[in-house]
Amino acid sequence: KEWFGGFCGESRPESKTPMKNSFPLALNILGCFLYMQNYYIVEPSSTRYANALGMNDAMSGLIIGAMPWAAIISAITFSIWTNKCFRSPLIFSGLLLVSGNLLYATAFRYGSIEMALCGRFMTGLGGPRSINRRYIADTTPLAHRTAVNAAFGTATALGAALGPATAILLDNLDTVFEVPVYGAVHLNGMTGPGFLMGILWLIFTLLLVFTFTEPERSGLEEQRQKEAVMGIVTPTSSAVAGKSEFEMTHIDAPTEKSNSRNEPCISRLESQAFSEDSKNTDSFSNTRDASLWSQLKHVASNITLPVRISMFLLFSKMFTVESLISAASMVTKNRYHWAVQQVGSLGTIVGCLTIPISIFIGFLSQYREDRVLMFWLMIAASFGMSLLIDVTDLMSTDTDTYNEENMFAVGPHRYVAGYLIVFCSMQAFDGVVGSVLSKVIPTALATGTFNSGLLATLVGTFGRASGDVFISAFGYINLRQLLNLLIIPSFLLVVVDLAVIWLNYDILTA
């Protein structure tokens, strides 16, 4: 069965593979939601917080951007850790997030921008997205992976929506009270996000401690079997340095699966490792002693063209969305004189609209190919970007009213429409391109330190961090032209993405 004469791709066969590890998977998606709420909850008040700490508007971009830069550093550490298990790094991540949020909120009492930036940096160090992505890639069946990634994207959108919404509610607070040991607590619209998220992360961490169990990495095994059927052989001589301890225990291992699905991963790995012959034991030792540089060379030698394309598309998506969202507070304050409530309402509305769209994309992914979904979502994003380009600012900058009397100027209604279209389409695109990356990446890169979850997180986080630096740089250069300085490069990047998908359409399949 084909749609529109096959232009929308061939339908997928229905999957009969059951889902496993549902509750730990739900906890990972919940962690993604809380992290994105934590990321965007400061966005409506970031400009005002920067002013309260003695800085100008442009510093708000760095307040938001401190998180992704730190997340790039911690992602590698968490990737190494998840070679062994998921539970411990998730708990450690939660502790960092609790501490970072409290430090960010405390900065107001001392009037210290440095303390606020350190708090956001520590929060970024606790970012669990690389753990969450790897969990999905390692434990989710291939047939369900796009749907699970769509749920991941929905959690991202929900967090991005509730973050600004929560900021609106917290903006109504303005009180000071004493807490034993800690001292004076200044609870207002600027410090409230830090205190609230610190409490939520503490509850989440306790939930992990008492309920999280280690999963079977059945999705990884399924992908390996698929490559074997297709005749794709991963050379163990070059790949051994890049494999995790989990992966090494399966080289030439017996085909029987463990009868226990809930036993801790370490004990399961040890029992399998002891059953290997001396050759595999030596390889296992070499894996543990392998240098980071050898793993990097192994990664570079196994990155195929579809993987490179998927990584570029993921970077582009993150850069574009970040340039739009994190600049909203600065752009709307200067162009439309919006307050925290209006900026937060915009983020909440578009985030809530993204949720049904992401759910629909997840449903559609069961019947349509990922590359088809990517192409149409990117067309929608390019249309939304075109609405945000203010051609009147290219001809006249003499007025402080931003040419509002000109019908071609970007007024508040047109800004909201373009913002909505870009955000919704790009957030839905995130789940699809993440799924494509996890499917086209070779099993040689699906495990070990530099796995698909880490690569996706590094590329996406670098795109987000670059967008924040982009905002701050152009904010210092020319605040009057900030909208066009951000949107025009992003629009050109989206056009390039469309061309890349179109020219490589045949290889973007899984």
Side-chain angles (χ1 to χ4, degrees), residues 308-501:
R308 291 196 296 268
I309 293 172
S310 299
M311 292 170 66
F312 173 74
L313 293 174
L314 186 59
F315 170 85
S316 302
K317 178 267 170 185
M318 292 297 185
F319 180 88
T320 301
V321 170
E322 195 66 20
S323 298
L324 179 69
I325 297 176
S326 294
S329 177
M330 200 187 315
V331 169
T332 56
K333 173 191 171 185
N334 290 281
R335 291 183 73 98
Y336 314 125
H337 308 291
W338 283 9
V340 172
Q341 291 81 0
Q342 292 163 301
V343 179
S345 297
L346 174 63
T348 302
I349 292 170
V350 297
C352 290
L353 287 174
T354 302
I355 296 170
I357 294 176
S358 296
I359 293 174
F360 176 69
I361 293 296
F363 167 76
L364 204 59
S365 68
Q366 304 296 313
Y367 308 100
R368 298 294 105 185
E369 293 180 325
D370 294 336
R371 56 186 179 178
V372 176
L373 301 177
M374 286 196 300
F375 184 76
W376 285 103
L377 287 170
M378 196 57 71
I379 287 178
S382 62
F383 173 71
M385 279 288 177
S386 66
L387 293 178
L388 296 173
I389 298 176
D390 196 331
V391 294
T392 64
D393 280 351
L394 301 177
M395 298 178 288
S396 173
T397 59
D398 296 333
T399 175
D400 291 333
T401 61
Y402 290 87
N403 308 311
E404 62 182 15
E405 72 284 352
N406 193 313
M407 64 178 295
F408 295 105
V410 178
H413 295 93
R414 181 170 153 189
Y415 179 83
V416 169
Y419 189 104
L420 184 152
I421 295 172
V422 174
F423 184 85
C424 291
S425 57
M426 282 296 198
Q427 286 301 110
F429 180 84
D430 181 57
V432 181
V433 72
S435 174
V436 170
L437 179 59
S438 70
K439 292 175 182 178
V440 300
I441 199 165
T443 51
L445 298 182
T447 57
T449 299
F450 294 94
N451 53 78
S452 60
L454 174 66
L455 293 177
T457 301
L458 287 179
V459 172
T461 304
F462 181 68
R464 184 177 284 120
S466 300
D468 289 319
V469 172
F470 200 55
I471 293 168
S472 292
F474 281 121
Y476 279 111
I477 293 172
N478 193 333
L479 196 59
R480 170 66 179 78
Q481 291 282 357
L482 182 62
L483 183 62
N484 277 341
L485 288 174
L486 295 176
I487 296 303
I488 292 177
S490 298
F491 174 74
L492 295 176
L493 189 58
V494 169
V495 172
V496 171
D497 290 342
L498 264 175
V500 167
I501 295 173

Side-chain angles (χ1 to χ4, degrees), residues 76-96:
I76 298 176
T77 302
F78 286 142
S79 181
I80 296 173
W81 206 340
T82 53
N83 287 339
K84 298 182 178 180
C85 59
F86 291 102
R87 186 173 184 270
S88 297
L90 282 171
I91 293 173
F92 183 73
S93 165
L95 295 176
L96 283 175

Side-chain angles (χ1 to χ4, degrees), residues 197-401:
M197 294 309 304
I199 294 172
L200 292 179
W201 280 116
L202 179 60
I203 295 172
F204 177 78
T205 304
L206 292 175
L207 188 63
L208 286 173
V209 170
F210 293 111
T211 64
F212 187 87
T213 57
E214 292 293 342
E216 286 187 0
R217 308 200 185 200
S218 55
L220 188 61
E221 181 64 27
E222 182 185 357
Q223 186 168 344
R224 187 186 302 109
Q225 292 172 358
K226 177 183 176 182
E227 288 189 1
V229 171
M230 296 174 62
I232 302 175
V233 179
T234 302
T236 56
S237 60
S238 63
V240 66
K243 291 186 178 293
S244 66
E245 295 179 18
F246 176 86
E247 181 74 358
M248 287 301 301
T249 61
H250 288 78
I251 298 178
D252 299 330
T255 57
E256 301 92 312
K257 294 184 179 179
S258 172
N259 292 329
S260 175
R261 296 186 176 184
N262 297 319
E263 63 181 334
C265 64
I266 295 298
S267 62
R268 184 166 66 251
L269 291 175
E270 288 176 351
S271 63
Q272 291 173 342
F274 280 118
S275 67
E276 303 299 320
D277 57 24
S278 60
K279 178 180 178 179
N280 289 333
T281 303
D282 293 339
S283 298
F284 180 81
S285 301
N286 292 336
T287 301
R288 299 187 64 174
D289 297 334
S291 67
L292 189 63
W293 175 246
S294 66
Q295 293 191 42
L296 285 171
K297 291 193 295 183
H298 165 66
V299 169
S301 65
N302 283 278
I303 293 182
T304 61
L305 180 59
V307 173
R308 291 196 296 268
I309 293 172
S310 299
M311 292 170 66
F312 173 74
L313 293 174
L314 186 59
F315 170 85
S316 302
K317 178 267 170 185
M318 292 297 185
F319 180 88
T320 301
V321 170
E322 195 66 20
S323 298
L324 179 69
I325 297 176
S326 294
S329 177
M330 200 187 315
V331 169
T332 56
K333 173 191 171 185
N334 290 281
R335 291 183 73 98
Y336 314 125
H337 308 291
W338 283 9
V340 172
Q341 291 81 0
Q342 292 163 301
V343 179
S345 297
L346 174 63
T348 302
I349 292 170
V350 297
C352 290
L353 287 174
T354 302
I355 296 170
I357 294 176
S358 296
I359 293 174
F360 176 69
I361 293 296
F363 167 76
L364 204 59
S365 68
Q366 304 296 313
Y367 308 100
R368 298 294 105 185
E369 293 180 325
D370 294 336
R371 56 186 179 178
V372 176
L373 301 177
M374 286 196 300
F375 184 76
W376 285 103
L377 287 170
M378 196 57 71
I379 287 178
S382 62
F383 173 71
M385 279 288 177
S386 66
L387 293 178
L388 296 173
I389 298 176
D390 196 331
V391 294
T392 64
D393 280 351
L394 301 177
M395 298 178 288
S396 173
T397 59
D398 296 333
T399 175
D400 291 333
T401 61

